[in-house]
Amino acid sequence: MAITSDWPLPPLGIRFLTPQFVQTQLAGHPLSEGLLPIAMGYYPAAFGHRMHRQQENSYLLIYCIDGKGTLMCDDKRYRIRSGDIILLPPNHPHAYKADTKDPWTIYWLHFNGRLADHFYQHIQLSTPSFNIGVQPRVVRIFDGLSELRRSGYQFAEFIQGGHQLQALLSYIALLVRQQRPQSGKALNWERLRATMQEHVHGQLNLDELAASAKLSKYHFTKKFKAHTGQSPIQYFINMKIQRACYLLDSTSQSVKQVAAAVGYDDAYYFSRLFKKTIGVAPNDYRKHRR
């Protein structure tokens, strides 16, 4: 089965397949075998575009930036709109088509590689489609990947393209986490971060943070960790250490002064905490950075 549809490509459209000899090179090189762009394209106002597959041995990512379409898979029908992504694993029967009245404009990408399934699991989609909004950064990466069609099949260009693909999937995973609806009371992340920034020179405890979110400590910690992968207090400590790194880089303040500036009266305790987080003591950090 052909990897792409036979939809007539308009002048502004893009359809590019990575040649098999390049795929073989990429799959055998340590800098590129993790993620391989197999095929990619851009279909503007794709009236009449449709595709049906029973099986396909690569991952498929579609990003709708305008118009509408429909996805059919798992015996379900999904209405696709601007800002939606579709992500499907290999050998997953599916069909999709552009809306007849308001046809979608889409970027699409087939990819594979040793890390492909790891990224698929990392994105954590509970359904085949999810709305991340029209994100300029995502569009820029897709546009950058599409430049591979002008590469003359230079291997170095495709290695760089594989790293662009990794950046794309990593960023989508972050957007999915940020925009996934939450059960119960949602956390106001901007307000929480602002509260922590306001107290980066002093102290905050878990009771105060949970109270600001109007949640119990248990539910607040659970929601916070699900979003960031860190406990609230560890996140706050890391924010303090990042501020300390900035002061060590940009000022001539002593370690004791820097410690006080991020809320630690005990410079020795601060130094131990800094080394535990960064891996080197504050004085060594400053020495190495300069």
Side-chain angles (χ1 to χ4, degrees):
M1 180 179 291
I3 194 170
T4 65
S5 70
D6 57 0
W7 182 69
L9 197 66
L12 295 179
I14 297 170
R15 182 187 290 133
F16 175 75
L17 278 68
T18 303
Q20 187 58 53
F21 81 91
V22 176
Q23 291 186 41
T24 302
Q25 284 182 298
L26 293 170
H29 196 285
L31 292 180
S32 55
E33 48 90 25
L35 284 174
L36 293 68
I38 304 297
M40 64 206 74
Y42 168 71
Y43 292 171
F47 181 80
H49 174 236
R50 61 178 61 236
M51 191 67 183
H52 180 272
R53 296 186 184 92
Q54 282 301 316
Q55 63 179 33
E56 169 55 50
N57 62 5
S58 62
Y59 287 83
L60 171 64
L61 175 64
I62 296 176
Y63 184 39
C64 177
I65 61 169
D66 195 24
K68 301 172 184 173
T70 305
L71 167 70
M72 287 77 70
C73 69
D74 302 323
D75 298 320
K76 293 182 181 179
R77 182 185 183 94
Y78 301 90
R79 292 291 295 165
I80 306 301
R81 58 191 175 91
S82 179
D84 281 353
I85 59 167
I86 297 170
L87 180 60
L88 297 172
N91 301 318
H92 199 91
H94 60 270
Y96 50 82
K97 62 181 180 179
D99 188 78
T100 55
K101 294 181 180 179
D102 186 15
W104 60 18
T105 293
I106 59 170
Y107 288 92
W108 57 268
L109 173 68
H110 289 267
F111 64 94
N112 240 325
R114 179 179 56 82
L115 298 178
D117 187 60
H118 294 285
F119 274 100
Y120 178 74
Q121 298 298 329
H122 178 58
I123 292 173
Q124 294 182 347
L125 286 184
S126 56
T127 61
S129 68
F130 188 85
N131 189 272
I132 61 170
V134 178
Q135 303 285 341
R137 181 173 170 183
V138 174
V139 170
R140 284 196 301 270
I141 299 175
F142 268 112
D143 285 338
L145 281 166
S146 71
E147 288 302 303
L148 288 173
R149 73 190 191 280
R150 308 183 195 275
S151 68
Y153 304 141
Q154 292 183 68
F155 187 58
E157 296 266 8
F158 280 86
I159 288 181
Q160 201 269 338
H163 288 280
Q164 284 184 298
L165 174 54
Q166 183 168 329
L168 173 65
L169 297 177
S170 300
Y171 187 51
I172 287 174
L174 181 62
L175 291 171
V176 168
R177 281 166 172 73
Q178 290 175 344
Q179 301 188 35
R180 180 179 288 130
Q182 299 179 11
S183 59
K185 182 179 174 60
L187 295 180
N188 187 327
W189 297 106
E190 292 304 315
R191 188 175 68 184
L192 277 170
R193 280 181 55 83
T195 298
M196 290 184 180
Q197 287 286 4
E198 289 171 6
H199 291 80
V200 76
H201 308 296
Q203 299 298 325
L204 269 177
N205 59 42
L206 185 57
D207 289 319
E208 292 169 322
L209 287 168
S212 72
K214 298 180 180 179
L215 287 170
S216 69
K217 287 192 294 185
Y218 171 78
H219 286 102
F220 172 71
T221 300
K222 184 177 180 181
K223 283 180 175 289
F224 195 100
K225 194 166 185 179
H227 183 76
T228 66
Q230 303 172 17
S231 70
I233 297 305
Q234 186 59 55
Y235 188 94
F236 182 49
I237 290 172
N238 289 344
M239 189 177 284
K240 284 173 168 288
I241 297 300
Q242 286 180 328
R243 176 63 181 172
C245 287
Y246 169 77
L247 293 173
L248 290 167
D249 286 336
S250 62
T251 74
S252 58
Q253 293 181 30
S254 67
V255 171
K256 184 176 181 180
Q257 289 172 318
V258 170
V262 293
Y264 296 105
D265 295 329
D266 186 342
Y268 293 103
Y269 173 74
F270 164 74
S271 294
R272 291 196 301 272
L273 189 62
F274 188 97
K275 185 173 182 178
K276 181 180 178 182
T277 305
I278 301 299
V280 295
N283 278 325
D284 291 332
Y285 173 86
R286 172 173 274 166
K287 194 182 303 179
H288 292 156
R289 294 291 288 176
R290 290 184 177 177

